[in-house]
Amino acid sequence: MRIKEETITLKDGRELTLRSAEEKDAQTMLDYIVKTAEETHFLVRYPEEISPDIEREKRIINDSLEAEASAWFTVFDGDKAVGNCSISRHRNHIKLKHRCDFAIALEQAYCGCGLGTILMTKAIDKAKELGFEQIELGVYADNKKGIALY
Ligand SMILES: CC(C)(COP(=O)(O)OP(=O)(O)OC[C@H]1O[C@@H](n2cnc3c(N)ncnc32)[C@H](O)[C@@H]1OP(=O)(O)O)[C@@H](O)C(=O)NCCC(=O)NCCS
């Protein structure tokens, strides 16, 4: 689904744009995914596991825009993607429809300034709005910032 565009201000005063990623953002999204995978070991993929296929990335972005039970909150510094937070339905089975998966990753230069808190709050509000009752995530035991946020 598409989210409403807005300007957000970090604790250090930087102003960023929160909006849905569009097809035109496919390359900057790929760059951001690789960069965040390189910067820490906290994400599930190693950088070399990320496909550089831009047409595939465009399809993933379009699928997320069309999905009724999924929302991406993507953060841009100008035209550059620097963070993303998402919720998406866990499975389509009726017994599991109340559960959604949560994911978040910011480039290191944008960490520790309240952005994770802003994005997570928006994701929780959206999950409630969509009728989810349970939000699920995984986190490595040594991810102090992640655990502090959750
Ligand atoms: C984890 C992540 C999303 C947190 O976002 P963030 O913008 O850095 O976090 P915030 O600035 O909103 O701070 C969240 C909390 O963590 C605390 N915190 C910040 N830096 C910290 C640190 N180094 N150690 C412990 N706690 C820390 C903050 O004080 C805050 O707690 P508070 O609200 O009680 O003050 C972000 O750091 C990130 O994307 N990291 C790399 C990828 C990653 O780990 N993703 C999650 C995978 S499970």
Side-chain angles (χ1 to χ4, degrees):
M1 78 172 26
R2 194 174 290 277
I3 62 152
K4 198 167 147 267
E5 178 168 329
E6 62 182 291
T7 300
I8 48 177
T9 308
L10 304 190
K11 282 181 186 168
D12 61 10
R14 277 181 289 176
E15 289 201 341
L16 304 172
T17 304
L18 178 63
R19 63 172 172 84
S20 293
E22 309 271 353
E23 206 179 275
K24 67 177 164 64
D25 304 309
Q27 189 56 56
T28 187
M29 289 301 285
L30 281 176
D31 295 343
Y32 142 80
I33 294 165
V34 170
K35 184 149 197 231
T36 48
E38 283 170 348
E39 286 180 332
T40 73
H41 63 275
F42 298 137
L43 301 173
V44 290
R45 284 182 291 181
Y46 288 111
E48 59 272 24
E49 290 181 284
I50 295 155
S51 163
D53 182 343
I54 194 152
E55 294 307 320
R56 178 175 178 274
E57 185 61 22
K58 285 179 186 171
R59 283 196 297 278
I60 293 170
I61 290 171
N62 284 327
D63 286 350
S64 97
L65 288 170
E66 282 164 25
E68 281 172 21
S70 141
W72 286 10
F73 296 85
T74 310
V75 182
F76 291 86
D77 189 348
D79 292 335
K80 185 179 175 291
V82 298
N84 193 58
C85 176
S86 67
I87 50 157
S88 53
R89 171 162 283 144
H90 182 63
R91 298 273 289 271
N92 270 328
H93 302 309
I94 295 169
K95 285 184 193 172
L96 303 179
K97 276 193 164 176
H98 64 296
R99 292 165 57 178
C100 67
D101 296 317
F102 173 88
I104 187 165
L106 316 177
E107 289 192 4
Q108 287 301 293
Y110 298 84
C111 288
C113 299
L115 182 54
T117 304
I118 293 171
L119 295 181
M120 189 156 187
T121 304
K122 288 188 182 291
I124 291 170
D125 288 348
K126 183 58 77 180
K128 286 181 183 165
E129 190 187 307
L130 293 174
F132 291 117
E133 294 168 24
Q134 198 169 313
I135 301 176
E136 303 180 15
L137 58 84
V139 62
Y140 286 98
D142 62 339
N143 189 348
K144 291 200 172 70
K145 268 190 265 186
I147 291 169
L149 173 65
Y150 307 146

